[in-house]
Amino acid sequence: MKFGVILSCTVMCSSAEESHARFTKLFSLIRLDSLQCEKDCRQSASSEAEDWHETSAERSCVTDSHGSVMFGEGEYNKASQSQAESLKLVLNGLLEDMKTWKGKVSEVARLRVADYGCSQGKSSLPIVSAVIAAGESTPIDFFFTDLPQNDWDSARLLLQSLGHVEPADKASFHSPALLQPFVDDAKAGNHSVRMLMCGRSFYEQVIPSNSIDLGFSGTAMHWVSHAPKGSGFFFGGDLYFRKLERSNPMRLEWENLAAKDWESNLRSRSEELVSGGSLHFVVPVFDPESRPSYTYQKLADVIMETLQTLLRRGEISQKEADAFVTPVFLRSREEFEAPFQAGAFEGLVLESFSTHLLPSPYWQTSQHDPARFADSYVRSVRAWSYNSWTSKLAAVSHQADTIVEKLYRAINEGIMKNPQDFRRDYVQAYMTLRKL
């Protein structure tokens, strides 16, 4: 399904005011089509489910999808340079494990690689291209996973130049059962490289058991399955609830949810991996020793300050402020390592863990111009936040677009005022895991 409006506005407008005006009109028009697209996607998925031969629990993932999707029509591809740059952290480890795999298997063996949280594909493109090049004549299946309502059209358009894309008759596969025939078909016809679109939450099993040799993920697993019931903004808190007291019940709910989700994620990945298979994850992390302590720390401050100001002025209600709660949680190293304290967890071992403070690529691409930097930075924030915020706001407010635009404008102004606070704000963990 296509949105009715194609993004053609470039971020390098002649002024911040012109850029804001164009984006305001453009995104409000697209939002109408995107909401209809998500409705159509749910209806289509529901009708497809009638032809499936799976359990009701498996079918439920289509309509009860976890998390939020990125902005469609390929916009996330155009505005996710930070995510793409940080994902390159996995490349050396991934290629080293691929080399080891090639030394152990026959020449006709088919390598299977999974990308967990692919969105529209561009961030993964350098990794996929490098794996294909390193494989030389090795036949490869890539499994690209994201939510059912992901912009699969943009992913398909981008990836089809590198291999044969499946499914051919719908947006994505919604269950491991539908992928099983492709796993069983080792020869894969005449296609040496296949791209399989998998629309299912990574908090469930996405791919058939014992099928994946290598897996990777970039800036995706900080998204939790849902926001705890009753979540709302509090004075003294922050976007990720990290500033709340440790004993605060709401913080405890988020921590407990994040811990359960992480274990669910690991359990599902272990089921999918073959023995000896490895995972390479880049994930936003909370690191109290780093400055800043977590990705988008200053951005979170600006968002909270703006919402608090709007609340005090009576320009928004508490319900409208609460709609900005985003289902993400930045785990600490200790929280990532917790399942492995007694050794292996569900057959997985955590082999390595490192933290990296990365610069914003938008400062370089904007040629150190504060106005252009602010435009690029805000565009990237829009790409991951717009769908989540506007869909929740629309349920409680008649001024959703107005409120969202006030927030984006405040972010732009905050960057213009102190661009140095936003130039180095990507705190990422890189970890490798292996199945025994």
Side-chain angles (χ1 to χ4, degrees):
M1 280 154 281
K2 294 281 188 180
F3 292 167
V5 181
I6 302 295
L7 280 175
S8 59
C9 175
T10 176
V11 73
M12 302 305 181
C13 298
S14 59
S15 67
E17 291 78 8
E18 181 183 349
S19 175
H20 167 71
R22 289 188 184 182
F23 273 125
T24 299
K25 180 179 180 180
L26 181 63
F27 278 81
S28 60
L29 285 172
I30 293 179
R31 178 161 96 56
L32 297 176
D33 280 342
S34 68
L35 292 174
Q36 182 61 45
C37 178
E38 290 186 16
K39 178 181 178 182
D40 291 345
C41 180
R42 289 192 296 270
Q43 291 174 342
S44 175
S46 178
S47 64
E48 287 173 5
E50 295 176 1
D51 298 327
W52 297 354
H53 302 286
E54 306 131 1
T55 66
S56 59
E58 286 177 320
R59 290 195 297 268
S60 69
C61 75
V62 178
T63 52
D64 282 336
S65 301
H66 300 136
S68 300
V69 294
M70 305 299 100
F71 206 96
E73 276 306 326
E75 172 61 9
Y76 187 77
N77 275 345
K78 303 182 185 101
S80 55
Q81 193 175 350
S82 292
Q83 293 87 332
E85 289 298 315
S86 67
L87 183 56
K88 292 177 182 178
L89 289 170
V90 311
L91 187 55
N92 288 339
L94 200 66
L95 293 181
E96 189 64 32
D97 280 352
M98 181 180 176
K99 182 179 179 180
T100 300
W101 176 87
K102 288 180 68 177
K104 293 180 178 180
V105 301
S106 67
E107 292 184 1
V108 297
R110 194 169 193 88
L111 178 68
R112 294 192 171 93
V113 183
D115 177 0
Y116 296 101
C118 66
S119 188
Q120 296 156 23
K122 188 174 182 180
S123 294
S124 307
L125 202 58
I127 308 300
V128 174
S129 299
V131 169
I132 293 174
E136 299 175 326
S137 59
T138 301
I140 307 174
D141 281 344
F142 289 95
F143 296 80
F144 295 93
T145 81
D146 212 295
L147 295 173
Q149 64 270 36
N150 180 50
D151 180 6
W152 292 110
D153 284 341
S154 292
R156 180 185 300 271
L157 186 65
L158 185 71
L159 297 168
Q160 64 187 6
S161 63
L162 297 178
H164 175 72
V165 180
E166 291 282 359
D169 58 345
K170 53 190 171 187
S172 66
F173 298 109
H174 293 147
S175 79
L178 294 175
L179 288 164
Q180 191 65 55
F182 293 89
V183 172
D184 295 338
D185 179 17
K187 294 183 179 180
N190 298 319
H191 306 299
S192 61
V193 177
R194 291 188 300 190
M195 310 289 183
L196 304 171
M197 310 288 104
C198 313
R200 189 174 173 95
S201 167
F202 54 52
Y203 289 115
E204 303 170 283
Q205 184 175 346
V206 183
I207 304 163
S209 301
N210 301 310
S211 59
I212 296 300
D213 301 295
L214 303 172
F216 67 93
S217 180
T219 316
M221 293 183 175
H222 59 309
W223 290 90
V224 293
S225 57
H226 62 281
K229 187 176 181 179
S231 296
F233 284 122
F234 306 89
F235 288 90
D238 72 352
L239 191 62
Y240 305 127
F241 298 92
R242 279 288 183 182
K243 289 183 180 178
L244 297 175
E245 293 293 330
R246 290 299 302 269
S247 58
N248 187 292
M250 185 52 64
R251 174 168 173 167
L252 292 174
E253 280 202 48
W254 278 84
E255 289 178 345
N256 290 336
L257 170 68
K260 291 178 181 177
D261 276 355
W262 179 229
E263 290 189 358
S264 295
N265 192 330
L266 294 174
R267 191 173 292 111
S268 296
R269 303 295 77 77
S270 179
E271 182 64 30
E272 295 162 351
L273 279 177
V274 301
S275 178
S278 64
L279 300 168
H280 301 257
F281 293 163
V282 172
V283 192
V285 62
F286 175 75
D287 181 4
E289 302 301 319
S290 175
R291 293 293 180 272
S293 298
Y294 53 84
T295 296
Y296 291 149
Q297 183 170 347
K298 186 58 181 178
L299 170 66
D301 290 343
V302 172
I303 291 173
M304 287 303 300
E305 290 166 5
T306 302
L307 292 175
Q308 290 169 357
T309 298
L310 294 175
L311 274 170
R312 283 196 300 267
R313 292 176 178 172
E315 296 182 37
I316 62 173
S317 67
Q318 184 63 53
K319 284 186 177 181
E320 289 170 332
D322 291 346
F324 285 93
V325 172
T326 307
V328 298
F329 190 82
L330 305 189
R331 303 173 182 90
S332 64
R333 176 170 186 162
E334 291 72 24
E335 289 167 325
F336 279 119
E337 293 178 341
F340 304 97
Q341 289 303 306
F345 177 81
E346 299 289 340
L348 291 176
V349 292
L350 180 61
E351 288 192 337
S352 66
F353 190 104
S354 56
T355 301
H356 304 262
L357 177 58
L358 305 175
S360 171
Y362 306 116
W363 181 247
Q364 187 68 30
T365 57
S366 65
Q367 299 180 327
H368 303 176
D369 179 274
R372 296 170 68 185
F373 175 53
D375 284 348
S376 296
Y377 192 108
V378 172
R379 185 183 188 184
S380 73
V381 173
R382 281 181 183 270
W384 59 258
S385 66
Y386 189 87
N387 278 346
S388 176
W389 290 349
T390 55
S391 62
K392 293 174 184 176
L393 266 174
V396 298
S397 175
H398 297 297
Q399 53 175 349
D401 286 321
T402 300
I403 297 171
V404 168
E405 291 310 321
K406 285 183 179 179
L407 192 53
Y408 289 136
R409 190 158 49 245
I411 296 169
N412 192 294
E413 291 170 355
I415 297 171
M416 289 280 288
K417 184 177 180 181
N418 294 300
Q420 66 276 5
D421 290 343
F422 299 82
R423 285 167 48 185
R424 196 173 183 84
D425 68 345
Y426 229 62
V427 188
Q428 300 283 78
Y430 169 44
M431 69 189 81
T432 59
L433 306 99
R434 192 171 305 277
K435 185 175 179 179
L436 298 175

